[in-house]
Amino acid sequence: MAALTAAELQRRRQELEGAPDPFPALPGAEAPSVTRSVSKQQQQQVQTPPAGFDSEDSQAFPALAPSSTAPPKAAAPAPGWGAGPRISAPVSRTVTDSFDLDVVDLSTAGKDGKRAASLSEVLRNVNAKFKVKTEASNQPSGYTLFTIKGDSQKDIDKAKKQLISLLSPQVTLTVNAPASTIAAIIGPKGAFLKQIRDETGAKVDIPRRDTATIAAVPNGKPAPVDDDEEEQEETIPITITAAGVYAREAKRLIDEVIAVRTSKTTQRVRDVPAHILPFIASRKADFEALANGGEVSITVNGNDIHVSGNRESVATVVEAIKAGIEDLKANLTSIKMPMPKRQHRLLTGKTAEEILNKSKCSVQVPKADSDIAEIALWARPADLPGALAAVQQAAASQHIQTFNIPGKHAQAHQIFTYLSRTGFSKTVIAAHSGISLHAPSQKELQKDPISIDIIGDKAAVDGAVKQLAEMCSKLNGATREIEIDWLIHRAITGKYAKKLKAFQDVQRVAVFWPAETSESSKVLLVHDPNADSKERNANLDEVEKEVLKFAKDVADVKTEVISVDAKWHSAILGKNGTTLNAIIGADSTLSIKLGKDAGKVLKAGEQATADTIAVRGVASDVTRAIKDIHRIVESAKNDEIDNGYSVEFHIPREYVGRIVGSQGAAVNKLRESLGIEVDFTDEDDGASKEKEKEGGLKKKKVSTSNAKARVTLKGRKENVEEAKRRILAQVERMADETSEILKIPRQYHPSLIGRGAKYVVRLEEKYGVKITFPRESDENGEGKTREQLKPDEVLVKGGKKGVADAKKELVDAVEFEKEANNSIKFTVPSRSVARILGKAGAQINEIKDNTGAQIDIDKAEDSTNVTNVTVRGTKTAIQEAKTLILRIANEVDDEVTETIKIESRFHRTIIGARGQGLKDLIVKCGGPEDPRAQAGLAHFPRQGETSDEVSLRGPKAIITKLKAELEAMAADLRDRVVLGVSIPAAQHRALIGRGGATLTALQNKHTVQVQFPGSRSYSTVGEPENASELADVDAADLVKVSGRKKACEAAIKEMQSHVKTAAPAHDRPAGNGHAAGAATVEETVEVPVKYHHAISQGGNFFRGLRSYGVNVDHSVTPPRPSLPRPSANGAAEARIDEAEAPSKDVKWEISPNHAGADDTIATWTLKARDQAGLERAKKALEEAIKTAEQSSHVGFLTVSDRSVFPRIVGSKGANVARLRAETGAEITVGRDDNIITLVGSESAVLAAKDAITEIINNASKPRPPRA
């Protein structure tokens, strides 16, 4: 078996014992960089410890060869302990989690969903898949406890999810989701549904809307029809299949979406009187304020007011609006005031709003086409005098003048048409600032004269009248109308567009075609009013002749009349006239009139009947249209055969209104979804009418409780049968309906309703009931609801079973609220509030989470020394929370402050790497283990401060012990020394012993710490005091001993007593393939002294040469030079006594390497067993010298935040190794400081610096959110 090196022995010991360091520190011994062993108890308490890392670990960061031509198959060299400080290797910590299951179901836990043979088989499969270790144990309470251990929380979470899915019984839950919420449940491109499936592993089935069984009432909750409430909405059943816990979680996520979506509603206040509407609209802001912070939007649509927003807020606002309307109806009065029609325009729009705001009066103006010359004023009696004055002032505020277009009616109409089509009014308005022109209505255009009202300043109005008069004068005789069938207007404008344009350019005549929708055949010709009038008539005659010629050329218009049974006319028209529009086409001009309307296009003397259809247009289009009409009629006849199945049945008349729904919404949805006809008629209507005819008897009022209604369904047979089934099922549900009033004190109503009605909506959906709480009480003490509930009454209405179940859950919830609604109030010292709250509220939130209580802490006043604390919840939760809060307050009262002097050079040693030394010391003194609670107990001066004072603050018992321990440690550190001893590397293994037993016994015996070359702490214990005596000792043979001086000397003496003296060469036994006393070959090589330590790499290079059978003697062994240090170290050390972490600032310095070093040359003598080994050693030495020469610069990258170091190092040093290979620079990440040292050529150092800076910048960017 090959011999093991000291470094390999150390690693073997670490593997055997699981200790993070092969050289354990003794209690009280100096161990500034040795990671202490973690007890099992501590490992259980710390599930996710901070990741540590050590670049000096030979497994995590293998040493790079000096050059690409390194000898093959060489033994891996030990890390270079002299190359500078490196960061510590990741400490392997196990993460543990546990959960329990009441029932373990193996029926589907095997492969392909089959039954598993045993629980052990399932655990083995999960362990292998996720690389975890899972144990199961049966507990006395009957459940099974599962414990999972692994290297990462991510693997444990995956394994836990898999086990719960495999071993829990599968359940199926159903959620009746309103159809409007389905899109939100699915999410954009299925994102939310995918999130539910990923988080829970549940199978979520949402049926297509056309195949789903749709409830005819919202969420199974029948409710009376009310015009003010939102329309009823159908629901879609969503099925969820998964393990019980995950199925319930998936249902909870879907219920949250439904609650948010259904928490908003829209209600309408219909048919608000026109004189009251302005008063309500002006108070919009007041009504919205009644929402108490809820989102409410109020809009006016015609005479209706729409209120949208949160359900509760909308109900409040609607009630207020209705009350306002009733108040105005009772208190407003009106008077009528004569006023010329033209002045009405001055009392509309903004002017009307100003009058309302100023005088609290609403002005009602007749419609524009009305002949009424008076207005109505509505106001409260006390406001009417002021209203009259305000209206008169507004009516006289501007000058109004009417301009009558001159000429006979036909000519005036032509001039007005020209002015309108050319936008001449805009020209006039632009020329005279502040005026407005008002054209006559279509009704007024039929009267004589045709006039235009002009409003504005008198001077501007006079100028506008003058401009209009001048234009009318120019147009006198410049207009002419000709008759051309409107059906061919499009054909003319399309075919002769260029010629029509030429008329305007050459003859100066514009042709104005009427709108096609008006079906007018009058075409207006207008000669340019600004052109020479001498050629006017000739140009008009010429254009008229040409246009009429165009009409004759395209005039292939004919009228054809057909007779089609009137019952098929609806099929020809189609829904909203869509089929008729398709027959006419987008590019043709056809006139198709049905029934009596056909008389409009028939010739004189021809009569139209109900079956008449007249088609008029271009001949080819008429022929095509008639063919299409006949085809549609034939298709409708065939459809009647397919859809002619009908059925009749009876239902109680009292249910008809709810089946029909608000404004027919429910029955219309039934018609649209199944494509059938639905008709409801009263059963006794026919019989009553017969009795009236025979005997003239009056109809008797029939009791609605026994009255029946006949339902007639017509359509395809399968659709009709499905509609019948749905209607009868709905009737059955309504017949099973009952209601019950529960007596529940009003103080519990908000909790039962829930935020945004979340809880009550869930109950309604779960049990298919309608739950009504009383609203704000009126003067009689009754709630303002349809059911006239008292303040302490809650109405539950629905099916008998649903009402009973909902009642039970409501009663249970009330009992819970009675238990959980307790509260207590007490005081604590104001100076303890900060400790009770904790950093960013962490402490108080932890108390809330652990106890389940609600805690409110009042803001402390400067004038008092105490602060009020209110705790609400169950009695147990209140008592636990109060105990925890008072305990913290008492600790603050018991606090003491101490100050001790400890030399600053010992601070880092006491604090330890990443503050671990100080943390362990606090725990040892009885302090808390939580780092957050430890912060502030001991405060050391910041880095760079020269103070030696250490302040302690906390409970007296802990601070007393902590002070004594710190003083003892300081005294021990003052008397501590480091001594070196030369022990051949070949004998290190014997001194360490199997599993480190010999070394441990030596350290315990003398209370010292021994560091062999290759240990992680070797380079950090400092230089030996007797270093000058050991100048010629090979670095690989130098062992350091630290502790009290006498103890160190005794330990060194004992180690030296165990060192065996090497036998002469000729007495050595043969071994390793060499004969005893074999001759050696030698050769000398000159090596610059300044490169000595860069080449030796802390002895690694010489150990590598020994693998070739080569030893080295040096003429000079220089002292170890120190690398240049940065001029100002701005990095911050990891501490536990600082509350805030530093920012990620980066500082950079670069300087020449070997500056001021010794330039002398040393002679190295290479002694080898054979020439081949000598040549290999010479080649390796030459490459090492070349590499040392190229390391001309050293750079220092100082990072203020060490949290980015793991990303720089990478997994097992992968990033550092990659950067070394890519840039050629040696990279050393500081373990006890925030400095990254780069050594190499200037270009290599800069390249490495840029690459590391990029990693730091990327680490500081926020990660994108998960989909």
Side-chain angles (χ1 to χ4, degrees):
M1 181 177 178
L4 297 174
T5 65
E8 290 171 337
L9 279 172
Q10 294 166 19
R11 289 196 296 274
R12 178 67 60 84
R13 178 187 176 216
Q14 181 174 349
E15 292 172 0
L16 293 173
E17 294 189 359
D21 194 304
F23 306 101
L26 295 173
E30 180 183 2
S33 61
V34 177
T35 305
R36 296 181 55 180
S37 300
V38 182
S39 66
K40 291 183 179 180
Q41 182 180 3
Q42 290 170 329
Q43 290 177 356
Q44 292 174 354
Q45 291 172 348
V46 185
Q47 292 185 0
T48 55
F53 39 88
D54 187 354
S55 64
E56 294 179 6
D57 184 82
S58 58
Q59 290 179 331
F61 297 92
L64 300 177
S67 69
S68 59
T69 59
K73 300 183 180 178
W81 300 104
R86 297 176 183 269
I87 55 179
S88 57
V91 178
S92 177
R93 303 275 181 107
T94 300
V95 184
T96 305
D97 198 357
S98 63
F99 66 94
D100 58 78
L101 294 177
D102 294 331
V103 179
V104 175
D105 182 11
L106 299 176
S107 60
T108 60
K111 291 184 178 180
D112 302 326
K114 297 180 181 178
R115 183 178 183 83
S118 64
L119 178 59
S120 300
E121 176 189 345
V122 178
L123 298 183
R124 281 197 303 271
N125 294 338
V126 172
N127 290 345
K129 182 175 181 181
F130 299 105
K131 298 179 181 179
V132 298
K133 182 179 180 182
T134 308
E135 298 176 351
S137 59
N138 294 325
Q139 301 299 308
S141 302
Y143 62 86
T144 303
L145 178 66
F146 294 84
T147 304
I148 310 175
K149 298 180 181 179
D151 294 335
S152 70
Q153 188 66 40
K154 185 176 180 181
D155 292 338
I156 287 180
D157 290 341
K158 290 181 179 178
K160 179 178 178 181
K161 182 177 179 180
Q162 180 84 351
L163 282 172
I164 293 176
S165 299
L166 290 174
L167 301 177
S168 296
Q170 298 289 305
V171 300
T172 299
L173 304 177
T174 302
V175 179
N176 287 321
S180 62
T181 66
I182 296 299
I185 294 171
I186 296 174
K189 298 182 180 179
F192 186 70
L193 195 58
K194 182 178 183 299
Q195 177 187 338
I196 294 175
R197 289 169 175 163
D198 290 345
E199 291 182 3
T200 65
K203 179 183 177 183
V204 182
D205 182 26
I206 302 178
R208 290 183 173 275
R209 193 167 178 178
D210 53 356
T211 61
T213 301
I214 301 173
V217 292
N219 307 325
K221 306 187 296 287
V225 177
D226 190 338
D227 286 345
D228 295 336
E229 294 192 0
E230 63 272 21
E231 294 182 356
Q232 298 172 340
E233 185 175 7
E234 63 195 30
T235 61
I236 305 295
I238 301 175
T239 57
I240 304 168
T241 304
V245 63
Y246 289 129
R248 290 188 291 273
E249 175 63 14
K251 183 176 183 297
R252 184 188 67 79
L253 294 172
I254 293 174
D255 285 340
E256 286 181 355
V257 175
I258 295 174
V260 171
R261 293 285 174 169
T262 57
S263 65
K264 296 186 179 298
T265 184
T266 298
Q267 292 191 25
R268 292 171 292 277
V269 181
R270 303 179 186 277
D271 301 326
V272 180
H275 66 280
I276 292 178
L277 195 59
F279 290 96
I280 300 298
S282 66
R283 294 176 55 192
K284 177 182 176 182
D286 297 335
F287 290 125
E288 290 178 344
L290 296 175
N292 294 325
E295 296 181 4
V296 170
S297 172
I298 302 175
T299 57
V300 177
N301 185 7
N303 280 10
D304 294 347
I305 298 175
H306 292 206
V307 184
S308 302
N310 295 330
R311 188 179 298 272
E312 293 298 320
S313 300
V314 166
T316 301
V317 172
V318 168
E319 291 297 330
I321 291 175
K322 288 181 178 180
I325 292 172
E326 294 302 320
D327 175 68
L328 291 170
K329 284 182 179 179
N331 295 296
L332 289 183
T333 185
S334 68
I335 59 172
K336 293 185 178 180
M337 178 178 179
M339 183 169 292
K341 185 74 175 175
R342 61 182 184 178
Q343 288 185 302
H344 291 185
R345 293 190 174 93
L346 298 176
L347 302 176
T348 58
K350 291 185 178 180
T351 305
E353 294 178 5
E354 292 174 358
I355 294 173
L356 179 62
N357 295 332
K358 181 179 179 181
S359 62
K360 300 178 182 179
C361 167
S362 169
V363 181
Q364 297 297 303
V365 178
K367 295 182 179 179
D369 56 358
S370 172
D371 295 329
I372 300 175
E374 63 180 11
I375 60 173
L377 307 183
W378 289 86
R380 297 179 186 272
D383 297 328
L384 279 176
L388 284 170
V391 169
Q392 290 172 350
Q393 181 181 356
S397 61
Q398 289 183 296
H399 179 67
I400 302 178
Q401 185 167 339
T402 301
F403 175 77
N404 296 326
I405 299 177
K408 295 182 179 180
H409 185 271
Q411 182 181 359
H413 194 283
Q414 295 170 16
I415 293 174
F416 176 77
T417 302
Y418 174 80
L419 296 177
S420 300
R421 297 287 293 272
T422 58
F424 186 72
S425 60
K426 295 181 180 178
T427 304
V428 176
I429 292 173
H432 306 281
S433 177
I435 69 165
S436 60
L437 272 65
H438 300 274
S441 64
Q442 288 297 324
K443 183 178 180 180
E444 291 172 336
L445 281 174
Q446 309 305 319
K447 300 177 181 179
D448 202 9
I450 298 176
S451 58
I452 300 173
D453 289 337
I454 308 171
I455 302 174
D457 184 70
K458 188 175 187 307
V461 170
D462 292 342
V465 170
K466 182 179 179 181
Q467 188 174 357
L468 282 171
E470 290 176 354
M471 177 55 68
C472 291
S473 176
K474 293 179 180 179
L475 290 171
N476 186 22
T479 61
R480 185 178 300 179
E481 273 187 351
I482 57 177
E483 289 281 342
I484 298 177
D485 196 321
W486 71 272
L487 292 170
I488 61 174
H489 287 185
R490 185 186 297 183
I492 297 174
T493 56
K495 186 175 181 179
Y496 301 104
K498 292 184 178 179
K499 291 187 177 181
L500 293 172
K501 179 69 169 58
F503 292 156
Q504 191 168 354
D505 296 338
V506 179
Q507 282 84 7
R508 309 295 297 276
V509 175
V511 183
F512 296 94
W513 304 89
E516 191 172 288
T517 54
S518 67
E519 298 187 1
S520 173
S521 298
K522 294 182 179 181
V523 179
L524 178 64
L525 308 181
V526 181
H527 192 274
D528 188 349
N530 296 318
D532 190 357
S533 60
K534 294 180 180 179
E535 304 291 333
R536 177 190 299 169
N537 290 332
N539 290 343
L540 288 172
D541 292 339
E542 183 179 356
V543 172
E544 179 182 0
K545 180 180 178 181
E546 290 294 324
V547 173
L548 291 175
K549 182 180 178 183
F550 297 159
K552 185 177 180 182
D553 290 344
V554 299
D556 186 17
V557 177
K558 71 173 183 178
T559 301
E560 193 163 335
V561 179
I562 60 175
S563 179
V564 176
D565 194 333
K567 71 177 182 178
W568 306 119
H569 287 191
S570 59
I572 297 170
L573 285 170
K575 188 176 181 180
N576 298 326
T578 52
T579 305
L580 185 61
N581 290 337
I583 295 173
I584 293 172
D587 299 325
S588 63
T589 52
L590 278 174
S591 173
I592 301 179
K593 305 294 183 182
L594 286 74
K596 296 294 184 181
D597 290 341
K600 297 178 181 179
V601 297
L602 296 181
K603 297 179 181 178
E606 294 182 354
Q607 296 293 327
T609 66
D611 299 335
T612 301
I613 298 178
V615 184
R616 187 167 183 271
V618 178
S620 59
D621 291 337
V622 171
T623 302
R624 174 188 58 78
I626 291 176
K627 188 182 296 184
D628 289 343
I629 290 172
H630 287 308
R631 176 179 54 78
I632 291 170
V633 171
E634 288 301 319
S635 177
K637 290 179 180 178
N638 294 332
D639 288 342
E640 185 183 37
I641 296 173
D642 293 336
N643 299 319
Y645 180 79
S646 65
V647 66
E648 292 184 357
F649 56 95
H650 299 85
I651 62 173
R653 185 194 294 173
E654 60 182 308
Y655 300 145
V656 172
R658 290 162 63 180
I659 293 175
V660 172
S662 176
Q663 298 185 339
V667 74
N668 287 338
K669 288 179 180 177
L670 188 67
R671 288 168 177 155
E672 292 173 3
S673 61
L674 297 177
I676 62 170
E677 296 179 12
V678 184
D679 185 35
F680 295 89
T681 55
D682 286 342
E683 176 64 17
D684 59 327
D685 280 356
S688 298
K689 290 178 181 178
E690 290 297 327
K691 289 181 180 179
E692 286 180 14
K693 290 179 181 179
E694 294 176 3
L697 298 175
K698 293 184 179 181
K699 289 175 60 178
K700 294 182 179 180
K701 187 174 181 180
V702 182
S703 173
T704 56
S705 61
N706 299 320
K708 297 288 186 179
R710 182 170 64 250
V711 183
T712 304
L713 308 178
K714 185 177 181 182
R716 296 184 66 87
K717 182 177 180 180
E718 56 271 22
N719 293 9
V720 167
E721 293 296 336
E722 172 62 17
K724 179 180 178 181
R725 185 191 66 78
R726 293 185 188 180
I727 293 175
L728 291 178
Q730 186 175 351
V731 170
E732 184 178 353
R733 284 195 300 271
M734 289 186 286
D736 183 52
E737 234 181 36
T738 185
S739 63
E740 190 162 348
I741 293 179
L742 309 180
K743 288 286 186 178
I744 298 176
R746 188 176 183 84
Q747 67 191 79
Y748 301 120
H749 290 189
S751 300
L752 297 179
I753 295 171
R755 186 174 183 180
K758 180 178 179 180
Y759 181 69
V760 72
V761 168
R762 184 187 68 80
L763 283 181
E764 290 179 337
E765 293 174 353
K766 182 177 180 180
Y767 299 114
V769 298
K770 175 70 175 178
I771 302 175
T772 305
F773 286 83
R775 296 177 185 169
E776 188 176 342
S777 299
D778 59 15
E779 295 177 357
N780 299 325
E782 294 183 345
K784 295 182 180 179
T785 59
R786 190 183 303 107
E787 290 77 12
Q788 299 298 317
L789 298 174
K790 294 181 179 179
D792 62 344
E793 293 180 342
V794 178
L795 175 67
V796 185
K797 183 185 294 185
K800 295 177 181 177
K801 185 177 185 305
V803 168
D805 293 341
K807 174 186 175 182
K808 181 178 183 302
E809 187 161 341
L810 280 171
V811 171
D812 292 343
V814 171
E815 292 301 319
F816 173 79
E817 288 298 325
K818 289 180 179 178
E819 170 64 23
N821 238 354
N822 298 293
S823 66
I824 189 174
K825 195 171 185 179
F826 57 94
T827 61
V828 295
S830 296
R831 66 191 187 95
S832 67
V833 170
R835 182 78 62 83
I836 294 171
L837 293 175
K839 185 178 180 181
Q843 183 67 55
I844 196 69
N845 289 336
E846 183 177 346
I847 296 175
K848 290 178 181 178
D849 294 339
N850 292 339
T851 62
Q854 297 181 13
I855 304 172
D856 294 324
I857 300 179
D858 294 349
K859 186 176 181 181
E861 299 181 1
D862 296 337
S863 58
T864 60
N865 296 325
V866 294
T867 299
N868 292 323
V869 180
T870 304
V871 184
R872 291 186 295 273
T874 64
K875 295 179 180 178
T876 303
I878 289 175
Q879 189 59 41
E880 291 178 357
K882 180 180 178 181
T883 301
L884 293 173
I885 292 172
L886 292 178
R887 182 183 300 166
I888 296 174
N890 293 335
E891 288 176 359
V892 175
D893 285 341
D894 188 43
E895 275 188 355
V896 296
T897 302
E898 296 282 353
T899 303
I900 58 176
K901 287 187 176 292
I902 299 176
E903 291 84 340
S904 59
R905 68 177 185 272
F906 300 142
H907 290 181
R908 179 176 294 183
T909 302
I910 295 173
I911 293 174
R914 294 177 298 279
Q916 190 61 45
L918 184 57
K919 293 177 184 177
D920 294 340
L921 183 61
I922 291 174
V923 174
K924 178 182 176 182
C925 296
E929 297 182 3
D930 185 2
R932 292 178 302 177
Q934 290 179 342
L937 287 175
H939 181 77
F940 286 75
R942 295 179 179 273
Q943 188 173 2
E945 296 180 3
T946 59
S947 175
D948 294 337
E949 289 189 354
V950 177
S951 60
L952 309 176
R953 189 184 69 177
K956 185 176 181 179
I958 297 175
I959 296 302
T960 301
K961 293 180 181 179
L962 186 58
K963 179 181 179 182
E965 287 289 337
L966 287 173
E967 289 175 341
M969 288 182 68
D972 182 66
L973 289 171
R974 294 185 188 105
D975 191 37
R976 182 162 297 186
V977 297
V978 179
L979 298 179
V981 59
S982 176
I983 297 176
Q987 299 190 35
H988 290 181
R989 182 178 64 172
L991 292 177
I992 294 174
R994 182 182 296 276
T998 304
L999 176 61
T1000 302
L1002 177 68
Q1003 293 182 137
N1004 291 337
K1005 178 179 179 181
H1006 298 284
T1007 320
V1008 297
Q1009 187 173 6
V1010 182
Q1011 303 290 346
F1012 286 87
S1015 77
R1016 287 200 298 267
S1017 303
Y1018 183 83
S1019 62
T1020 61
V1021 296
E1023 292 296 328
E1025 290 187 358
N1026 57 343
S1028 59
E1029 302 173 5
L1030 305 171
D1032 295 332
V1033 175
D1034 188 347
D1037 299 336
L1038 182 60
V1039 178
K1040 299 178 183 179
V1041 184
S1042 60
R1044 295 181 183 274
K1045 189 168 184 178
K1046 290 183 179 180
C1048 291
E1049 291 172 347
I1052 289 173
K1053 185 176 181 180
E1054 182 174 341
M1055 285 193 292
Q1056 288 176 333
S1057 67
H1058 294 294
V1059 174
K1060 296 179 181 179
T1061 306
H1066 57 79
D1067 293 334
R1068 294 176 187 167
N1072 297 330
H1074 299 285
T1080 61
V1081 292
E1082 297 183 2
E1083 187 170 338
T1084 59
V1085 180
E1086 292 184 346
V1087 179
V1089 173
K1090 62 183 178 182
Y1091 298 149
H1092 179 97
H1093 290 283
I1095 295 172
S1096 68
Q1097 299 181 17
N1100 285 345
F1101 181 74
F1102 303 124
R1103 285 191 288 272
L1105 294 185
R1106 283 198 290 271
S1107 67
Y1108 308 148
V1110 178
N1111 289 319
V1112 184
D1113 290 336
H1114 320 98
S1115 62
V1116 177
T1117 303
R1120 178 180 301 278
S1122 59
L1123 284 173
R1125 300 298 296 170
S1127 58
N1129 182 6
E1133 182 181 355
R1135 305 163 60 98
I1136 68 167
D1137 59 333
E1138 293 184 6
E1140 298 182 359
S1143 62
K1144 293 187 177 66
D1145 295 331
V1146 176
K1147 298 181 181 179
W1148 168 249
E1149 289 184 36
I1150 185 170
S1151 59
N1153 199 5
H1154 310 302
D1158 188 358
D1159 291 330
T1160 59
I1161 303 297
T1163 301
W1164 288 20
T1165 303
L1166 307 182
K1167 299 178 181 181
R1169 290 190 293 266
D1170 51 41
Q1171 188 63 35
L1174 181 62
E1175 292 299 326
R1176 294 173 67 186
K1178 281 179 60 181
K1179 188 174 182 180
L1181 181 56
E1182 290 170 358
E1183 292 293 338
I1185 294 172
K1186 184 179 178 181
T1187 300
E1189 289 175 346
Q1190 292 175 349
S1191 299
S1192 59
H1193 286 75
V1194 58
F1196 303 98
L1197 195 65
T1198 305
V1199 183
S1200 61
D1201 188 356
R1202 290 180 58 89
S1203 65
V1204 299
F1205 278 16
R1207 188 164 295 190
I1208 296 171
V1209 175
S1211 176
K1212 298 182 180 179
N1215 283 352
V1216 169
R1218 176 179 58 80
L1219 293 177
R1220 287 171 180 163
E1222 291 177 355
T1223 63
E1226 178 67 23
I1227 302 172
T1228 304
V1229 182
R1231 181 179 62 183
D1232 296 321
D1233 56 25
N1234 293 14
I1235 302 173
I1236 302 173
T1237 306
L1238 313 175
V1239 180
S1241 64
E1242 184 175 10
S1243 59
V1245 169
L1246 293 175
K1249 171 251 184 182
D1250 292 339
I1252 294 174
T1253 304
E1254 183 178 357
I1255 294 174
I1256 294 172
N1257 291 337
N1258 291 337
S1260 64
K1261 294 179 181 177
R1263 294 185 178 181
R1266 293 182 178 178

